[in-house]
Amino acid sequence: MAARGGLLMLENFIGGTFLPCSSYLDSYDPSTGEVYCHVPNSGEEEVEAAVEAARAAFPGWSSRSPQERSQVLQRLADLLEQSLEELAQAECKDQGKTITLARTMDIPRAVHNFRFFASSILHHTSECTQMDHLGCLHYTVRAPVGIAALISPWNLPLYLLTWKIAPAIAAGNTVIAKPSELTSVTAWMMCRLLEKAGVPPGVVNVVFGTGPRVGEALVSHPDVPLISFTGSQPTAERITQLSAPHCKKLSLELGGKNPAIIFEDANLDECIPTTVRSSFANQGEICLCTSRIFVQRSIYNEFLKRFVEATRMWKVGVPSDPSADMGALISQAHLEKVRSYIKKARLEGARILCGEGVDTLNLPPRNQAGYFMLPTVITDVKDESCCMKEEIFGPVTCVVPFDSEEEVIQRANSVKYGLAATVWSGSVGRVHRVAKKLQSGLVWTNCWLIRELNLPFGGMKSSGVGREGARDSYEFFTEVKTITVKH
Ligand SMILES: NC(=O)C1=CN([C@@H]2O[C@H](COP(=O)(O)OP(=O)(O)OC[C@H]3O[C@@H](n4cnc5c(N)ncnc54)[C@H](O)[C@@H]3O)[C@@H](O)[C@H]2O)C=CC1
Ligand SMILES: N/C(=C\C=C\C(=O)O)C(=O)O
C-alpha cells in the first residue's frame, strides 16, 4: 500500500499485481467532507493492460471444472468473512453509511454472494430434446463468454460489485471490474485476498477511476464482449450507445421510483417501521427504496401522523455511531441535488412535514461539513411533481392519499421506472391481484427487501434490461449453443 501526504493511496489490480497509476483522484470522507484517500485516475492504458491480463487468464480459468472454481469462491468468501469488521469499517468511512448497516448488510451480503454462486454453479443442467422420427437428439451446452466488464455504483460498493464478480467468475469468465470512483476502498481491499483464495492472476482485474475516462474505455473495448452495469439511467444510455457497434451482451440494473401502496386493512404496526426503513435505509441511497407512499384515504391521517413520528425517531448520526440509523450522503453534489428537490416541492406548494428545513440536525463540530441531512417527508404533492416522478436517491419520501384499487395501480404505474413496489394489505386476494398488475420487476407484499437470490432480480421500463440471480446470471455470463446429433 502506498501513501501520499499520510493518506491512503489505492492502486489498480491487474494480472495479479498492484500497479500505481500516473494520476490520482481525491476521495472524500462523507462524514467530514475531508479528502482521506487517493484513487487511481485510470484510462485507456490501464484498460489495455487489464484486457491483456484477462485474455491471458481466460483459457486456464474457463477450462477448470465448476467444482474447482466453486472451491476458489468458497475460500474467497471465508477470507472476506474473516475480514468482516475491517471491511465494514472501511465501507462506513468511504460511503458514509452506518457501521451497523455495513456490519449487518453490506459485508455479510458480499460474503454470501460468493458462497451463493459457489453453490449455484454446481447445480445447472442443460436442455435435451429428441426427434426420434428423424433420428436426432438435440442438446444445449453453455460456455463462458470471455472478458466481462463489471461497473458498479457507490451506494452498496462491495455488495453490488461482488454480486457481479461472483457469478461471472463462477461461470468461467475473467473480469475487469470498475467500482465507483467515489467508493473504491473495499474493492481494493478484496484484491489483497485474491491470491490467498487461489484466484489465478488475471481472472479478477480491478481498474479504478471515473466513468468518462476508464469506464468508457472499458465498455467500448472491442475485446470485452459483455457488460454488467448498475447505476443511473443516463449512464446506461451512454454505455448502450458505446457498446452498440460491437453488439455486446448488456445487463443494466438502473434506478427506481418505487411505490408503497398501503390499503386500509394493512397491519400498520408492521407497515410503518418497515416503510420508514424502506424509505430511509442507507440514506435512501438504494435503488429499491420507497419514494412514493400511497395510503388509502380512510387511514391517511392516522398513517401520516404515525409515519412522521416514526421518521423523527430515525436517528441521523456519525456513521461510526452504532446507534445511528442513517449516516451521511455520498457527496456534496449529491446532497445539493437531493435538497434541490425539497426546494422545488416547497415552490410547488407541497408541505414538508419533517426533516430538511423543519427540524434541526445535531452533529459534533468535526462533522459539520459532512454531507448530512434529516429524513424528510413531503405531502400535498401532485403526481406530476418532479418529486413524484424522478429518482431522488436520498432520504426523501412523498405521502399521498388514494381511494380505489384501480386508481392506485394506475398512479403507481404512471412513472417511467418499474423496479420495486411494496403492497400492504391483510387480504391475500388483493395482494396477488395488485402485485400482478404493477409494472415492477419486484413486488414485496407486507415486507421489504427480503431477497431470494435464486430468483430474477431487475427492473422493467427505464429500470433496466435483463435480470440477475442464480439462473439469470448464469445465462447472462454464458453463451448457449444448440447441438444436433443425427444417429
Ligand atoms: N443502482 C442505482 O439505481 C443507482 C442509481 N444512481 C442514480 O444515479 C445518480 C447519479 O449517480 P452516479 O454516481 O453519477 O451514477 P452513475 O450511473 O454515473 O455511476 C455508476 C457507475 O458508472 C460509472 N460510469 C459513469 N459514467 C460512465 C460512462 N460514461 N461509461 C462507463 N461507466 C460510467 C461510474 O463511474 C460508476 O462506477 C444518482 O443520484 C442516482 O439517482 C446512482 C447509483 C446507483
Ligand atoms: N442494485 C441495487 C440494490 C440491489 C440489492 C440487492 O441485490 O439485494 C442498488 O441499490 O443499486
Side-chain angles (χ1 to χ4, degrees), residues 73-74 76-116 154-163 166 183-190 193 282 286 453:
L73 265 72
Q74 292 284 10
L76 185 52
D78 292 345
L79 291 169
L80 286 168
E81 196 166 46
Q82 285 160 24
S83 305
L84 193 149
E85 181 56 24
E86 200 190 341
L87 287 162
Q89 295 281 353
E91 205 73 295
C92 160
K93 188 170 179 69
D94 206 25
Q95 206 276 338
K97 67 177 67 233
T98 65
I99 185 64
T100 304
L101 203 66
R103 277 182 188 140
T104 58
M105 185 178 85
D106 288 75
I107 310 305
R109 172 61 190 275
V111 171
H112 188 57
N113 285 338
F114 282 107
R115 292 228 169 96
F116 176 81
W154 44 258
N155 54 333
L156 303 170
L158 196 63
Y159 176 139
L160 291 179
L161 190 64
T162 53
W163 174 242
T183 53
S184 299
V185 174
T186 49
W188 171 81
M189 289 169 75
M190 181 193 67
L193 305 174
N282 205 47
I286 305 181
L453 303 191

Side-chain angles (χ1 to χ4, degrees), residues 194-371:
L194 295 177
E195 188 183 352
K196 196 167 174 197
V199 179
V203 170
V204 175
N205 305 279
V206 184
V207 287
F208 297 103
T210 66
R213 229 169 100 76
V214 71
E216 294 205 3
L218 184 55
V219 298
S220 48
H221 198 290
D223 297 335
V224 174
L226 76 168
I227 303 165
S228 173
F229 168 78
T230 300
S232 66
Q233 197 253 345
T235 300
E237 240 177 87
R238 177 81 182 133
I239 290 176
T240 305
Q241 283 162 0
L242 289 171
S243 63
H246 306 281
C247 297
K248 298 188 182 204
K249 271 185 111 172
L250 289 182
S251 168
L252 306 171
E253 297 291 345
L254 313 177
K257 190 67 192 172
N258 308 310
I261 301 177
I262 301 167
F263 287 97
E264 59 194 358
D265 59 353
N267 177 342
L268 290 189
D269 292 340
E270 286 180 12
C271 167
I272 288 172
T274 304
T275 307
V276 169
R277 197 166 57 82
S278 73
S279 299
F280 305 123
N282 205 47
Q283 304 72 243
E285 296 168 331
I286 305 181
C287 62
L288 309 166
C289 278
T290 302
S291 59
R292 295 179 294 150
I293 305 177
F294 296 94
V295 186
Q296 202 152 22
R297 201 174 296 276
S298 54
I299 57 162
Y300 182 70
N301 288 336
E302 182 196 353
F303 176 90
L304 205 53
K305 179 171 170 293
R306 289 175 62 182
F307 185 74
V308 168
E309 277 167 15
T311 300
R312 284 207 163 105
M313 303 296 286
W314 191 253
K315 180 179 166 186
V316 178
V318 176
S320 59
D321 171 0
S323 69
D325 296 303
M326 210 171 95
L329 275 68
I330 185 64
S331 65
Q332 184 66 41
H334 189 57
L335 177 65
E336 280 164 19
K337 177 185 146 187
V338 175
R339 283 183 169 152
S340 75
Y341 278 97
I342 299 165
K343 281 199 199 108
K344 284 183 207 156
R346 273 209 180 87
L347 289 173
E348 288 169 1
R351 277 192 304 145
I352 316 300
L353 297 184
C354 64
E356 178 74 10
V358 177
D359 301 305
T360 313
L361 186 56
N362 290 313
L363 291 165
R366 174 154 198 267
N367 300 97
Q368 298 289 333
Y371 317 133

